Amino acid sequence: MRYSSVFHLISFAASEKSADLVLIGGFAVNYYGVSRQTIDLDFLTTNEDFKKIVDLIKKEGYKKDCSQDIFVRLRTDTDYLLDLDFMFVDKETLSKIIKEGKEIDVAGQKFAIPSLMHLIALKLHSIKNNPERIAKDLIDIIEMIKINKIDVMSKDFKGLCLEYGTESLYNDILDKSKT
């Protein structure tokens, strides 16, 4: 491995191939004050940008483990690297998330992360489309709400929940954010 970490590999691949990536998942949640362990790296990108970088990543020992229209998981047998998940959105959505997001430093590398509201919207969307994710993602949402003092009663927050989640999910958030 010629990269000191998976962060260096992904940063190099994105830069070398002019691919836009947004770091989501546990590392983004951690940025917003929620301490959570993670066993993989999650990225949001376009299918086109993923195709630009996947061969370079595979050359470093990663293999496709799961592939769907909107998602690909790459696994590695290398102990010091993390598995990689890539979620796909259209270019317009990705551009908006990057524009409204933040840039953070991880292992000496720069990565875009979504704004707090975009991260919550991504988690709501994830739960809505895969209810098995509720246990993990709802905890993240509730903790981010509490730590970042989000007004869950605001019209904007409710609108976000209804657009990307469901009314039932919004009601769960109201109940759980009070405790």
Side-chain angles (χ1 to χ4, degrees), residues 54-99:
V54 69
D55 288 339
L56 196 151
I57 295 169
K58 284 181 173 179
K59 285 181 184 174
E60 298 303 323
Y62 281 88
K63 296 176 181 72
K64 272 190 188 177
D65 179 59
C66 176
S67 182
Q68 301 171 359
D69 289 342
I70 60 166
F71 173 83
V72 171
R73 174 173 291 130
L74 300 176
R75 296 232 187 248
T76 181
D77 293 329
T78 307
D79 291 339
Y80 68 94
L81 295 178
L82 298 171
D83 292 338
L84 300 169
D85 290 344
F86 293 90
M87 275 64 62
F88 305 132
V89 294
D90 61 71
K91 187 71 171 170
E92 182 180 331
T93 300
L94 187 66
S95 294
K96 181 178 180 181
I97 290 172
I98 290 171
K99 181 180 177 187

Side-chain angles (χ1 to χ4, degrees), residues 40 45 56 63 95 101 103 145 153 161:
D40 62 8
T45 190
L56 196 151
K63 296 176 181 72
S95 294
E103 186 177 84
I145 286 168
M153 300 300 290
C161 288

Side-chain angles (χ1 to χ4, degrees), residues 9-175:
L9 167 62
I10 297 300
S11 179
F12 174 78
S15 175
E16 182 75 10
K17 302 295 182 176
S18 298
D20 289 326
L21 301 170
V22 176
L23 182 61
I24 58 175
F27 281 90
V29 169
N30 288 341
Y31 175 81
Y32 289 107
V34 178
S35 181
R36 176 162 79 73
Q37 295 292 333
T38 186
I39 58 170
D40 62 8
L41 284 181
D42 302 288
F43 290 97
L44 193 66
T45 190
T46 64
N47 195 317
E48 296 78 21
D49 279 352
F50 174 75
K51 288 176 182 176
K52 291 179 187 178
I53 64 172
V54 69
D55 288 339
L56 196 151
I57 295 169
K58 284 181 173 179
K59 285 181 184 174
E60 298 303 323
Y62 281 88
K63 296 176 181 72
K64 272 190 188 177
D65 179 59
C66 176
S67 182
Q68 301 171 359
D69 289 342
I70 60 166
F71 173 83
V72 171
R73 174 173 291 130
L74 300 176
R75 296 232 187 248
T76 181
D77 293 329
T78 307
D79 291 339
Y80 68 94
L81 295 178
L82 298 171
D83 292 338
L84 300 169
D85 290 344
F86 293 90
M87 275 64 62
F88 305 132
V89 294
D90 61 71
K91 187 71 171 170
E92 182 180 331
T93 300
L94 187 66
S95 294
K96 181 178 180 181
I97 290 172
I98 290 171
K99 181 180 177 187
E100 295 178 19
K102 300 178 182 299
E103 186 177 84
I104 64 169
D105 186 286
V106 182
Q109 305 302 303
K110 301 284 186 205
F111 290 96
I113 63 166
S115 69
L116 179 58
M117 289 304 142
H118 279 150
L119 184 58
I120 290 172
L122 288 166
K123 290 193 164 288
L124 290 166
H125 181 76
S126 176
I127 294 168
K128 180 179 179 179
N129 291 288
N130 184 1
E132 294 174 6
R133 298 222 22 120
I134 195 164
K136 183 175 175 183
D137 286 336
L138 188 58
I139 291 169
D140 287 344
I141 292 170
I142 298 302
E143 290 302 310
M144 287 189 291
I145 286 168
K146 289 178 180 179
I147 290 168
N148 294 282
K149 298 177 176 37
I150 296 172
D151 179 4
V152 296
M153 300 300 290
S154 75
K155 182 180 176 183
D156 288 342
F157 185 78
K158 182 177 182 179
L160 180 89
C161 288
L162 297 179
E163 182 175 354
Y164 296 101
T166 63
E167 187 158 358
S168 174
L169 190 51
Y170 174 65
N171 290 330
D172 284 348
I173 289 169
L174 288 178
D175 290 341

